[in-house]
Amino acid sequence: MIKFLDVKKINEQYEPELSASIKRVVDSGWYLLGNENKLFEQEYAQYIGTNHCIGVANGLDALRLILRAYLESEWMKEGDEIIVPANTYIASILAITDNRLKPILIEPDINTFNINPFEIEKKITSRTKGIMMVHLYGQNAMHSEIERLVKKYNLKLIEDNAQAQGAYYPLIPPIGGLEEHHTWKRTGSLGDAAGHSFYPGKNLGALGDGGAVTTNDDELAEVVRTLANYGSKVKYHNEYQGLNSRLDEIQAAVLRVKLPRLDADNQRRREIAQYYNDHITNAGIILPASRLSPLVSCLSHVWHIYPVLCESRSQLQSYLAEKGIQTLIHYPIPPHKQEAYKEWSSISLPVTEQIHDQILSLPISPVMIPEETEQVVRILNSFQA
Ligand SMILES: Cc1ncc(COP(=O)(O)O)c(C=O)c1O
C-alpha cells in the first residue's frame, strides 16, 4: 500500500541522531524551558529570518497567543475584524474567535487555493485590524495587493505558516540565477508575526505537538512569551491572565535534529510535485496551478499537500483505495458549514464550497520512492469517472 504520509519512515531518516537527542534530554533531567528550547528558538529564528522565535505548545496556540498579545497591548479590542481565507483549516479561525475577534471570511483563488487578494478590500471596514494570511498546502500566499492593503489600512499581517515551513516569497521577481538573488524572504518573516505548527505530519514535524511564534516586533515577542508562561515574567508574579503553552525539551531537541534537513526534504517534495504535474494526464483531474512563473513558484511552494480537483472525487478516492493508494481530503467541510459556526450556515461561498466538494490530496512526502510516484500516476491516469 502507498501511504498518504509515512511519518515513521520519515523519522527513521534521522536515526540514530533522533533517539540520541531524546536520550540527551532524558539524561539532562531538565524537561521544560531549558537549553534545547533556547537553542531551537535561535536556530529557527535564523532559519525563518526573524529576530525572535518563541516555542509554544502547538500551532493553534501560536496564533491564539499572537492575537491575544494584540488585545493585551490594546492594538485590537474584542469585536474587531480579522480577514481570513474561508477555506483554511479551522485552527486559523478558532484562534480568531477564541479571542472574541470577528473572522471575515474571504474566498480563495481557485487556482492557488490561497486567499484571493482582490476580494479583500471590499470587506475592509473601520473595525478591520488584521489579515490572517494562511500559506495553505505549503504555498506562499503573500501578494503585492496584500502588501498594499496592509499599508493603506494600517493592518497587522499575521501569517499562518503551519503548512509552509521553508517556503519563500520573492520581494522582486528574480532575474538571473536564484543563488545570486538576495531578495527572497521566508514565509513566517513576511508580516508582523507568524504562527508555526510542528504537528508530526507537518514538513517540520515533532514527535508530538509543538509550535512557534516568529516576529521582528520586540514588544510583541515579550508579551507572547509572558502570556505563554501563565502571564508571568517573574515567577509567581502575574501580569496577564495567561496560559501554559510551552515547547517541551524533547520536542525542541527532535526539531533541532530535523531542521537542518528541512530544505532537502522540501526539495524532494518539489520533485515529486513536478513529476505529478508533468505526468498526470487524466482530463477529469485538475492539477494545482500557480499564478507565478515556474521559477518563482518552485521556491514559493513546499508542497505540504499536493491537491487535485475532481468532479467525481468520491469515486476517484475509492478507486485509488482499491488499488492500494491512500488519499485524504483537506478539508471535507468548510469552516462556515461546521456545527461550531452554525451562525454562518446560510453564507454562500461558492469557490470555497467547490474546493471542499472536489479536492483530494495525493500521497507526497520526502520518503516516497520513484516506483511509488510512478504507480500513483499510472493508476490516476487509468481512472474513468
Ligand atoms: C493552516 C493551519 N493552521 C493552524 C494549524 C494548527 O496547528 P496545530 O495542529 O499544531 O495546533 C494547522 C495544523 O493543524 C494548520 O494546518
Side-chain angles (χ1 to χ4, degrees), residues 57-63 88-92 134-137 160-163 195-199 202 209-211 304 331:
N58 55 63
L60 172 56
D61 274 5
L63 298 171
T88 186
Y89 178 58
I90 197 87
S92 328
V134 186
H135 304 295
L136 201 66
Y137 305 149
D160 180 342
N161 200 38
Q163 301 189 357
H196 307 252
S197 163
F198 307 123
Y199 172 82
K202 295 292 194 261
D209 276 320
H304 174 57
Y331 300 94

Short mmCIF file of all heavy atoms in Angstrom, two decimals, residues 57-63 88-92 134-137 160-163 195-199 202 209-211 304 331, ligand 1:
data_model
loop_
_atom_site.label_atom_id
_atom_site.label_comp_id
_atom_site.label_asym_id
_atom_site.label_seq_id
_atom_site.Cartn_x
_atom_site.Cartn_y
_atom_site.Cartn_z
N ALA A 57 3.18 25.44 22.59
CA ALA A 57 2.72 24.05 22.64
C ALA A 57 2.21 23.49 21.31
O ALA A 57 2.26 22.29 21.08
CB ALA A 57 1.64 23.92 23.71
N ASN A 58 1.68 24.33 20.45
CA ASN A 58 1.13 23.86 19.17
C ASN A 58 0.85 25.07 18.28
O ASN A 58 0.96 26.23 18.73
CB ASN A 58 -0.16 23.04 19.39
CG ASN A 58 -1.19 23.80 20.19
OD1 ASN A 58 -1.69 24.83 19.77
ND2 ASN A 58 -1.49 23.32 21.39
N GLY A 59 0.45 24.80 17.04
CA GLY A 59 0.22 25.88 16.09
C GLY A 59 -0.99 26.72 16.41
O GLY A 59 -0.98 27.94 16.20
N LEU A 60 -2.03 26.08 16.93
CA LEU A 60 -3.22 26.85 17.29
C LEU A 60 -2.87 27.85 18.39
O LEU A 60 -3.24 29.03 18.32
CB LEU A 60 -4.36 25.91 17.73
CG LEU A 60 -5.61 26.57 18.31
CD1 LEU A 60 -6.23 27.58 17.35
CD2 LEU A 60 -6.66 25.52 18.70
N ASP A 61 -2.14 27.40 19.39
CA ASP A 61 -1.74 28.32 20.46
C ASP A 61 -0.89 29.47 19.92
O ASP A 61 -1.01 30.61 20.38
CB ASP A 61 -0.91 27.59 21.53
CG ASP A 61 -1.79 26.93 22.58
OD1 ASP A 61 -3.02 26.96 22.43
OD2 ASP A 61 -1.23 26.39 23.56
N ALA A 62 -0.01 29.17 18.95
CA ALA A 62 0.84 30.23 18.39
C ALA A 62 -0.04 31.36 17.85
O ALA A 62 0.19 32.54 18.15
CB ALA A 62 1.73 29.65 17.29
N LEU A 63 -1.08 30.99 17.10
CA LEU A 63 -1.96 32.01 16.52
C LEU A 63 -2.82 32.69 17.59
O LEU A 63 -3.02 33.91 17.57
CB LEU A 63 -2.87 31.37 15.45
CG LEU A 63 -2.13 30.77 14.25
CD1 LEU A 63 -3.10 29.97 13.37
CD2 LEU A 63 -1.45 31.86 13.41
N THR A 88 -9.62 27.89 4.85
CA THR A 88 -8.47 27.46 5.66
C THR A 88 -8.83 26.30 6.57
O THR A 88 -10.01 25.98 6.76
CB THR A 88 -7.94 28.64 6.51
OG1 THR A 88 -6.73 28.22 7.18
CG2 THR A 88 -8.95 29.10 7.55
N TYR A 89 -7.80 25.70 7.17
CA TYR A 89 -8.05 24.73 8.23
C TYR A 89 -8.65 25.50 9.41
O TYR A 89 -8.26 26.63 9.69
CB TYR A 89 -6.74 24.03 8.63
CG TYR A 89 -6.94 23.06 9.75
CD1 TYR A 89 -7.85 22.01 9.61
CD2 TYR A 89 -6.29 23.19 10.96
CE1 TYR A 89 -8.09 21.13 10.64
CE2 TYR A 89 -6.51 22.31 12.01
CZ TYR A 89 -7.42 21.28 11.84
OH TYR A 89 -7.66 20.42 12.87
N ILE A 90 -9.56 24.85 10.10
CA ILE A 90 -10.38 25.53 11.12
C ILE A 90 -9.54 26.25 12.19
O ILE A 90 -9.98 27.24 12.77
CB ILE A 90 -11.34 24.50 11.77
CG1 ILE A 90 -12.48 25.17 12.53
CG2 ILE A 90 -10.59 23.53 12.68
CD1 ILE A 90 -13.65 25.49 11.70
N ALA A 91 -8.31 25.79 12.42
CA ALA A 91 -7.49 26.37 13.51
C ALA A 91 -7.27 27.86 13.32
O ALA A 91 -7.25 28.62 14.29
CB ALA A 91 -6.15 25.65 13.62
N SER A 92 -7.09 28.32 12.07
CA SER A 92 -6.85 29.75 11.84
C SER A 92 -8.04 30.55 12.38
O SER A 92 -7.89 31.63 12.94
CB SER A 92 -6.69 30.08 10.35
OG SER A 92 -6.12 29.06 9.61
N VAL A 134 -2.92 32.79 5.36
CA VAL A 134 -2.60 31.37 5.53
C VAL A 134 -1.87 30.86 4.28
O VAL A 134 -2.41 30.97 3.17
CB VAL A 134 -3.89 30.54 5.73
CG1 VAL A 134 -3.55 29.09 6.05
CG2 VAL A 134 -4.77 31.15 6.82
N HIS A 135 -0.68 30.34 4.46
CA HIS A 135 0.06 29.78 3.31
C HIS A 135 -0.41 28.33 3.14
O HIS A 135 0.25 27.38 3.57
CB HIS A 135 1.57 29.84 3.57
CG HIS A 135 2.07 31.22 3.89
ND1 HIS A 135 2.03 32.24 2.97
CD2 HIS A 135 2.63 31.75 5.02
CE1 HIS A 135 2.54 33.34 3.52
NE2 HIS A 135 2.90 33.07 4.75
N LEU A 136 -1.60 28.20 2.55
CA LEU A 136 -2.27 26.90 2.57
C LEU A 136 -1.60 25.87 1.66
O LEU A 136 -1.17 26.20 0.56
CB LEU A 136 -3.75 27.09 2.17
CG LEU A 136 -4.67 25.96 2.61
CD1 LEU A 136 -4.80 25.89 4.13
CD2 LEU A 136 -6.05 26.11 1.99
N TYR A 137 -1.58 24.65 2.13
CA TYR A 137 -0.99 23.49 1.44
C TYR A 137 0.52 23.63 1.22
O TYR A 137 1.13 22.85 0.52
CB TYR A 137 -1.69 23.22 0.10
CG TYR A 137 -3.19 23.06 0.19
CD1 TYR A 137 -4.03 23.44 -0.85
CD2 TYR A 137 -3.77 22.51 1.33
CE1 TYR A 137 -5.41 23.28 -0.75
CE2 TYR A 137 -5.15 22.36 1.43
CZ TYR A 137 -5.96 22.75 0.39
OH TYR A 137 -7.32 22.59 0.48
N ASP A 160 -0.22 32.54 9.01
CA ASP A 160 -0.41 31.18 9.50
C ASP A 160 0.52 30.31 8.66
O ASP A 160 0.21 29.95 7.52
CB ASP A 160 -1.87 30.75 9.35
CG ASP A 160 -2.10 29.33 9.86
OD1 ASP A 160 -1.12 28.58 9.98
OD2 ASP A 160 -3.27 28.97 10.10
N ASN A 161 1.69 30.02 9.23
CA ASN A 161 2.73 29.29 8.49
C ASN A 161 2.78 27.82 8.93
O ASN A 161 3.82 27.18 8.84
CB ASN A 161 4.08 29.96 8.71
CG ASN A 161 5.09 29.60 7.63
OD1 ASN A 161 4.73 29.48 6.46
ND2 ASN A 161 6.33 29.37 8.01
N ALA A 162 1.63 27.31 9.38
CA ALA A 162 1.60 25.93 9.87
C ALA A 162 2.00 24.93 8.79
O ALA A 162 2.59 23.90 9.08
CB ALA A 162 0.19 25.59 10.37
N GLN A 163 1.67 25.25 7.53
CA GLN A 163 1.88 24.26 6.47
C GLN A 163 3.04 24.60 5.54
O GLN A 163 3.26 23.88 4.57
CB GLN A 163 0.58 24.15 5.64
CG GLN A 163 -0.62 23.74 6.47
CD GLN A 163 -1.84 23.40 5.63
OE1 GLN A 163 -1.84 23.51 4.42
NE2 GLN A 163 -2.91 22.99 6.31
N GLY A 195 2.50 32.30 13.07
CA GLY A 195 2.33 31.09 13.88
C GLY A 195 2.76 29.88 13.06
O GLY A 195 2.45 29.78 11.87
N HIS A 196 3.51 28.98 13.71
CA HIS A 196 4.01 27.77 13.04
C HIS A 196 3.54 26.56 13.83
O HIS A 196 3.46 26.61 15.06
CB HIS A 196 5.55 27.76 13.03
CG HIS A 196 6.17 29.01 12.46
ND1 HIS A 196 6.78 29.05 11.24
CD2 HIS A 196 6.25 30.27 12.97
CE1 HIS A 196 7.23 30.27 11.01
NE2 HIS A 196 6.92 31.04 12.05
N SER A 197 3.31 25.45 13.11
CA SER A 197 2.93 24.19 13.77
C SER A 197 3.98 23.12 13.49
O SER A 197 4.45 23.00 12.36
CB SER A 197 1.59 23.71 13.22
OG SER A 197 1.39 22.35 13.54
N PHE A 198 4.31 22.36 14.52
CA PHE A 198 5.22 21.22 14.33
C PHE A 198 4.50 19.90 14.61
O PHE A 198 5.09 18.93 15.07
CB PHE A 198 6.46 21.38 15.23
CG PHE A 198 7.15 22.71 15.06
CD1 PHE A 198 7.35 23.55 16.16
CD2 PHE A 198 7.58 23.13 13.82
CE1 PHE A 198 7.97 24.80 16.00
CE2 PHE A 198 8.20 24.36 13.65
CZ PHE A 198 8.39 25.20 14.75
N TYR A 199 3.20 19.88 14.35
CA TYR A 199 2.41 18.65 14.40
C TYR A 199 3.18 17.58 13.61
O TYR A 199 3.81 17.91 12.59
CB TYR A 199 1.05 18.99 13.76
CG TYR A 199 0.13 17.84 13.52
CD1 TYR A 199 -0.66 17.34 14.56
CD2 TYR A 199 0.01 17.27 12.25
CE1 TYR A 199 -1.53 16.28 14.33
CE2 TYR A 199 -0.85 16.21 12.02
CZ TYR A 199 -1.61 15.72 13.06
OH TYR A 199 -2.46 14.68 12.83
N LYS A 202 3.53 17.62 9.75
CA LYS A 202 3.94 18.84 9.04
C LYS A 202 5.32 18.64 8.40
O LYS A 202 6.05 17.71 8.75
CB LYS A 202 4.00 20.02 10.03
CG LYS A 202 2.62 20.38 10.60
CD LYS A 202 1.71 20.96 9.54
CE LYS A 202 0.49 21.64 10.10
NZ LYS A 202 -0.74 20.84 10.08
N ASP A 209 2.94 17.26 19.78
CA ASP A 209 2.57 18.63 19.41
C ASP A 209 3.73 19.60 19.64
O ASP A 209 4.57 19.39 20.52
CB ASP A 209 1.36 19.08 20.23
CG ASP A 209 0.05 18.62 19.61
OD1 ASP A 209 -0.06 18.68 18.36
OD2 ASP A 209 -0.85 18.19 20.35
N GLY A 210 3.72 20.67 18.86
CA GLY A 210 4.70 21.74 19.04
C GLY A 210 4.31 22.90 18.15
O GLY A 210 3.59 22.72 17.16
N GLY A 211 4.80 24.08 18.49
CA GLY A 211 4.50 25.25 17.67
C GLY A 211 5.47 26.37 18.01
O GLY A 211 6.30 26.24 18.92
N HIS A 304 3.32 20.88 1.16
CA HIS A 304 2.85 20.12 2.33
C HIS A 304 1.77 19.14 1.86
O HIS A 304 1.68 18.01 2.33
CB HIS A 304 2.32 21.10 3.37
CG HIS A 304 1.70 20.42 4.55
ND1 HIS A 304 2.39 19.51 5.32
CD2 HIS A 304 0.44 20.48 5.06
CE1 HIS A 304 1.59 19.06 6.27
NE2 HIS A 304 0.41 19.62 6.12
N TYR A 331 -10.15 20.06 2.89
CA TYR A 331 -10.85 19.50 4.05
C TYR A 331 -12.26 19.18 3.61
O TYR A 331 -12.80 19.89 2.74
CB TYR A 331 -10.83 20.52 5.20
CG TYR A 331 -9.38 20.82 5.58
CD1 TYR A 331 -8.72 21.91 5.01
CD2 TYR A 331 -8.68 19.99 6.44
CE1 TYR A 331 -7.38 22.14 5.32
CE2 TYR A 331 -7.34 20.25 6.76
CZ TYR A 331 -6.70 21.31 6.19
OH TYR A 331 -5.39 21.55 6.48
C1 LIG B 1 -3.37 26.04 8.43
C2 LIG B 1 -3.20 25.54 9.84
N1 LIG B 1 -3.25 26.41 10.84
C3 LIG B 1 -3.09 26.03 12.12
C4 LIG B 1 -2.87 24.70 12.45
C5 LIG B 1 -2.79 24.33 13.88
O1 LIG B 1 -1.63 23.69 14.24
P1 LIG B 1 -1.61 22.62 15.43
O2 LIG B 1 -2.21 21.35 14.92
O3 LIG B 1 -0.16 22.46 15.76
O4 LIG B 1 -2.38 23.22 16.58
C6 LIG B 1 -2.78 23.76 11.42
C7 LIG B 1 -2.47 22.36 11.66
O5 LIG B 1 -3.03 21.51 12.16
C8 LIG B 1 -2.97 24.18 10.08
O6 LIG B 1 -2.92 23.30 9.07
#
